Amino acid sequence: MAVNLSPIGNGFQFFTTTGIPLASGYIYTYVAGSTTPQATYSDSGGLIANTNPIQLGTDGRPPQEVWLTSGVNYKFVLTDSVGVTIQTYDNLYGILGTAPSV
């Protein structure tokens, strides 16, 4: 399966609305513009699916990389540990690893 690195989540530290790390928050992943769950992956080969939602660590960071299926646009919904929405990111697509030749 072809996957591309997510523009959100990798190396990100998420925070609460009061500015402290979003410990045990969640990233729910959906097909863009919908509430249809969409898988993400923790490896560049697209072989190992992340949980959905992805639970953040005590530092507010995802515990593994986030890779998106190539050609699929995503919506991420960031919530706190009890499900209160903090932010929604829609129409995300993976970062291409190589530039096309000219």
Side-chain angles (χ1 to χ4, degrees), residues 39-54:
T40 63
Y41 300 89
S42 64
D43 67 308
S44 62
L47 300 174
I48 303 167
N50 288 319
T51 60
N52 191 2
I54 299 167

Side-chain angles (χ1 to χ4, degrees), residues 11 16 23 27 30 39 54 57 71:
T16 66
I27 301 172
Y30 303 101
I54 299 167

